[in-house]
Amino acid sequence: MIKHKKIVAISGSIREGSSNTNILKALATFIPEGIDYCIYPGIKELPHFNPDIDGTEPPAVVANFRKTLAESHALIICTPEYAKSVPGVLKNALDWLVSSGELYKKPVAVITASPSVAGGDKAHESLLLTLGMLDTIIVEHGSLLVPSVGIKFNDNATVKDESTKQALINLIDSVVAAINK
Ligand SMILES: Cc1cc2nc3c(=O)[nH]c(=O)nc-3n(C[C@H](O)[C@H](O)[C@H](O)COP(=O)(O)O)c2cc1C
């Protein structure tokens, strides 16, 4: 039986109709056949990180999150910027992975998208620092800012801006190359 490579995606926005989640949905159209791609739906269920409840038997939602990432070959994060940083829900999810190591040397791509012209640059910078601490590998073309996001996508998660589309294709190509290496 052929085992498919798996890419997991995480949106830093848990908002219904999120533009960041829409970007991750749009990415699905660029994933080559034979590679599984899923947007992890559960980061909003994770409890606040607390070392006291981590250990041999962490909460089931945490164990499921870690298992999903352990079984993945690459991670794509797409997030808004909140108050010049990473949304708490995403930072909390990453905090759960610091000691357990599922992202160690894993290929990762990072997208920040914002209605502003800066494209969430502060969140982007902060996220890269966190991912560096987790010893991930940021793939070539895997660090993308999407400014003025509102005019670049249709509501049904299709890209209408050609250069954004090309940047997303390059990002996926790099992730796929990294997991096929
Ligand atoms: C509490 C809050 C703080 C925000 N802070 C920033 C910010 O610092 N920088 C920025 O570019 N946008 C900021 N925004 C605007 C978000 O980028 C915008 O709401 C975006 O659409 C959220 O992403 P989503 O559509 O994926 O939910 C903020 C929004 C909220 C609700």
Side-chain angles (χ1 to χ4, degrees):
M1 195 177 71
I2 297 170
K3 271 205 161 182
H4 285 177
K5 294 280 173 80
K6 289 184 188 166
I7 300 174
V8 171
I10 295 175
S11 175
S13 173
I14 57 173
R15 187 175 73 80
E16 199 68 39
S18 152
S19 50
N20 283 273
T21 306
N22 272 346
I23 291 176
L24 292 177
K25 288 178 184 166
L27 282 182
T29 59
F30 308 131
I31 305 282
E33 253 181 66
I35 292 185
D36 291 340
Y37 174 75
C38 77
I39 302 174
Y40 189 77
I43 64 165
K44 60 180 180 294
E45 319 297 346
L46 295 169
H48 291 153
F49 175 68
N50 177 352
D52 290 345
I53 57 168
D54 198 7
T56 47
E57 271 189 60
V61 282
V62 172
N64 178 65
F65 180 55
R66 287 175 170 167
K67 182 169 182 284
T68 303
L69 289 167
E71 290 171 355
S72 75
H73 299 89
L75 170 68
I76 300 175
I77 297 174
C78 187
T79 184
E81 176 175 273
Y82 278 176
K84 298 288 172 209
S85 191
V86 175
V89 69
L90 174 60
K91 181 59 168 57
N92 184 56
L94 294 173
D95 286 345
W96 278 109
L97 304 174
V98 172
S99 59
S100 51
E102 290 78 11
L103 295 186
Y104 181 71
K105 301 292 179 207
K106 191 153 283 184
V108 177
V110 173
I111 306 166
T112 49
S114 168
S116 91
V117 292
D121 59 336
K122 297 289 182 282
H124 201 96
E125 216 178 291
S126 169
L127 188 50
L128 289 177
L129 279 176
T130 301
L131 291 167
M133 199 268 169
L134 288 166
D135 243 329
T136 64
I137 296 166
I138 305 298
V139 300
E140 196 189 6
H141 306 300
S143 173
L144 177 68
L145 290 102
V146 181
S148 311
V149 66
I151 58 168
K152 295 187 174 158
F153 290 81
N154 293 318
D155 289 344
N156 61 352
T158 49
V159 201
K160 58 181 179 183
D161 175 66
E162 204 42 51
S163 71
T164 304
K165 184 176 177 180
Q166 196 51 56
L168 293 174
I169 291 170
N170 292 344
L171 180 142
I172 290 296
D173 286 351
S174 290
V175 170
V176 170
I179 64 180
N180 282 333
K181 221 160 50 177

